[in-house]
Amino acid sequence: MSVTTGVGAPAAVVPGGVGQSPLRPDGTSKAKGEFAFSSDLWADDMLWGATLRSPHPHARIARIDLAAALALPGVHAVLTAEDVPGERHYGLEVVDQPVLAYDEIRYQGEPVAVVAADHPETARRAAALITVDYRVRPPVTDPEAALAAGQLVRHVPVRRGDPAATAEVVVTGDYQVGMQDQAFLGPESGLAVPAADGGVDLWIATQWLHVDQRQVAAALGLPTDLVRLHLAGVGGAFGAREDLSMQVHASLLALRTGRPVKMVYSREESFFGHVHRHPATLRYEHGATADGRLVYVRARILLDGGAYTSSTPAVVANAATLGIGPYQVPNVVMDAYGVHTNNPPCGAMRGFGAVQACFAYESQMDKLAAALGLDPVEVRLRNAMETGSVLPTGQRVEGPAPVARLLELVRDRPPPPPAGGDPREWPGGVANTTRGEGVVRGVGYAIGIKNVCFSEGFDDYSTARVRLELLGGVPAVLVHTAAAEVGQGLVTVQAQIARTELGVARVTVAAADTSVGSAGSSSASRQTYVTGGAVRAACQAVRARLLARLPTGPAELRLVDGKVVDAGGAVVADLVDLVSDEPIEETVRWRHRPTHPLDPVTGQGDAHVQYAFAAHRATVEVDTELGLVRVVEIATAQDVGKAVNPAAVLGQIQGGTAQGLGLALMEEIQVVDGLIRNPSFTDYLIPTILDVPPMAVDVLELADPHAPYGLRGVGEPPTISSTPAVVAAIRAATGLPLPRVPVRPEHLTGVG
């Protein structure tokens, strides 16, 4: 990994602090298979829960017969919507999804009843014994038909400049993006334990403890202080754990039976138990001058939100506001829509609306380059956004916007060597399908833009509690937040910040739960920014109180290696003496700069707090006879503001790139007439170690002056531009238009 550093790095390097890559506290146990994930939870006297789901995408429920299930030995409870004591519906943004369906089925796999039994197989058998009289109805599965029928979730228009602008060179395109699954390895699972006070303790793998708490408490009819959530080990998330899955169901069963209830979804059930990436149809028209300067972009984006709202409104807004790309365009007409259908519910997934748009606008930039006879990178450079550029929403880009530099970095990387005699170096790999006959190499480029943190005026904050004390006569720090560690390394980052700010080596990060204030969601690439900012602010409050104990006051004093030192590095005091028997604890709620709603007619407004950029160059080899693709190498460049943990940054860039590669070549939930045809990792393919190529990574550290340490969100940008880069490379190799992802063999051979 190559790193170019700008301003904003801390003046001193603290061992295990910001800018270092200390060992993750959970790293060794995960590598050795000893880490306890949510599916490993256990309690004495525990029951097992199971869910009955609808086999139909659209139906009316005429009758439910529970008798056979209740008669099965070992069954302790069978619950339907009639047994929900509180609110019957829940929702992340809009409360519209039934806890258990009670009149109408709106998608295949919708929960109808839940069972608790003394063995998981007994619970599954009991669920299968429940008889439901479904009156099947025709499903609405075409998003265009849904839009025409008034099933609109949200429309976000963006208008800038002259809507009737004309240009010398015009290119148009229609594009499609399939439904991608987050494909995390740890299925939905959790353990609900009834409490003596009438409440419940729920250990759960989630992305947002407090939003789960609010929805679960409402469904149970309990005050939130009686619904206590604890973060269990999370086996990946990528957006799919923002919405509820089994949280309410396990809690209902635990409270009904008076015993702990554990629920674990199978892999097949997981495909029905969480939201997916919105499939999209996109139409774009780009107009440019003869020398390649963009004059206008007109676009229409239609996102299929499936049966319920989830986070579709925010995804639509992202697609609209980011849908022109990191380019300067004086005239824009953009309309983005999200609709309800009877397809599986869709919601948050890494990239969140920007992925779908990037595939289309980067495909358009390649079309424009071809029409102009320009190099694909050159046409992007001529239109690249920079600091001070005005977005289609009227928001001015503050801070670094190194779009041109990122493109130049990937362009100037040396090309990978040609394939040798090893058959693993050809398309088909270990399957030994070719020796190079019909194999063509291609190179493609793409760059994307992504907002960081929550937007449109949302009150986006995080809470951190920091305690400095002596343990065994040694200064120690305890950091407590409700931020969900979902594999991204946030626990490590919180400890790094505490070490940097307080100069204490011994830092413990407490398990996340709802006994401390909300930290918001582990999504939108926001946690290092917002929870990192909260931890930093709480540490600074502790430091201020600590230094106030000195007779000389806190002027120009720093905490280093358990000491208080002055500007010249001379030791003023020892932390052991200052802390003594009086620990210092501070709780801080920290917010980033405010954002503002979009104008509902023009789409104008300062909706986002920060932008992040990443570029990719993909090199592929395509067997044009068999339709097989091997990605030879991916070069990527990304501005991260400040690499708080360089090893974690590299992991995010590589992992996000691999997820984008998956969407480009193989990942799609196949839905036909509202029915999922491939709910397994046998038929839903994800990249393996044999599919992921070597990656050359350049990291820029150009500080954002408004962010803690100058950092920029890292997790999502790699996923956004890797997909169009891979497809651009295949187009370069084959000359085919390839307007849809994922690209399949039949798209390359014309057979099938």
Side-chain angles (χ1 to χ4, degrees), residues 21-362:
S21 298
L23 184 68
R24 290 178 56 142
D26 57 353
T28 301
S29 59
K30 285 181 175 177
K32 295 171 67 176
E34 297 170 350
F35 183 82
F37 290 97
S38 55
S39 55
D40 298 313
L41 294 165
W42 191 269
D44 292 337
D45 205 30
M46 183 178 74
L47 299 175
W48 294 81
T51 309
L52 174 69
R53 298 178 180 274
S54 168
H56 309 291
H58 195 200
R60 185 174 67 84
I61 297 176
R63 185 176 62 90
I64 303 177
D65 186 352
L66 309 178
L70 288 168
L72 186 67
V75 171
H76 292 258
V78 182
L79 306 180
T80 67
E82 299 298 322
D83 301 296
V84 177
E87 296 289 337
R88 281 189 168 191
H89 296 81
Y90 66 91
L92 193 62
E93 296 187 34
V94 176
V95 179
D96 66 344
Q97 188 160 354
V99 172
L100 293 166
Y102 57 90
D103 57 355
E104 187 174 359
I105 296 297
R106 293 178 175 85
Y107 71 96
Q108 181 199 20
E110 183 157 15
V112 176
V114 290
V115 176
D118 53 16
H119 190 278
E121 183 56 36
T122 304
R124 288 190 287 268
R125 287 175 55 208
L129 290 172
I130 298 171
T131 302
V132 183
D133 182 2
Y134 295 106
R135 307 297 169 87
V136 178
R137 296 176 172 179
V140 177
T141 59
D142 178 9
E144 291 286 0
L147 182 62
Q151 293 300 311
L152 179 67
V153 178
R154 189 181 185 187
H155 168 217
V156 176
V158 178
R159 303 288 185 268
R160 185 184 181 211
D162 180 3
T166 60
E168 297 170 273
V169 180
V170 176
V171 294
T172 61
D174 292 285
Y175 305 96
Q176 292 184 337
V177 177
M179 183 185 291
Q180 187 180 20
D181 187 64
Q182 295 84 350
F184 43 64
L185 294 184
E188 294 83 351
S189 51
L191 175 69
V193 180
D197 60 5
V200 64
D201 284 89
L202 178 63
W203 280 263
I204 185 69
T206 182
Q207 291 178 240
W208 195 344
L209 285 165
H210 282 80
V211 158
D212 284 11
Q213 181 191 43
R214 169 176 58 79
Q215 295 173 92
V216 173
L220 298 179
L222 293 174
T224 54
D225 62 340
L226 290 183
V227 179
R228 295 166 289 269
L229 270 66
H230 312 263
L231 186 69
V234 183
F238 312 112
R241 299 190 201 269
E242 274 204 328
D243 294 80
L244 295 185
S245 56
M246 41 64 62
Q247 287 92 321
V248 178
H249 301 157
S251 299
L252 284 171
L253 292 168
L255 291 174
R256 172 61 68 92
T257 63
R259 291 170 61 176
V261 174
K262 177 178 178 177
M263 298 187 77
V264 181
Y265 288 179
S266 67
R267 177 58 58 192
E268 178 177 344
E269 187 175 15
S270 180
F271 274 91
F272 299 101
H274 63 254
V275 297
H276 314 286
R277 189 185 299 286
H278 292 74
T281 56
L282 311 96
R283 172 167 294 175
Y284 274 73
E285 179 180 307
H286 281 58
T289 62
D291 64 350
R293 310 286 175 176
L294 287 169
V295 175
Y296 72 83
V297 174
R298 300 185 187 114
R300 179 183 185 269
I301 299 173
L302 180 59
L303 298 163
D304 183 355
Y308 296 106
T309 301
S310 183
S311 54
T312 293
V315 174
V316 172
N318 269 14
T321 58
L322 306 174
I324 306 304
Y327 303 112
Q328 302 188 69
V329 186
N331 305 293
V332 172
V333 176
M334 162 68 76
D335 289 283
Y337 303 88
V339 295
H340 284 311
T341 65
N342 293 119
N343 291 321
C346 292
M349 185 175 174
R350 193 178 198 169
F352 204 80
V355 167
Q356 297 91 325
C358 187
F359 173 66
Y361 65 67
E362 286 300 86

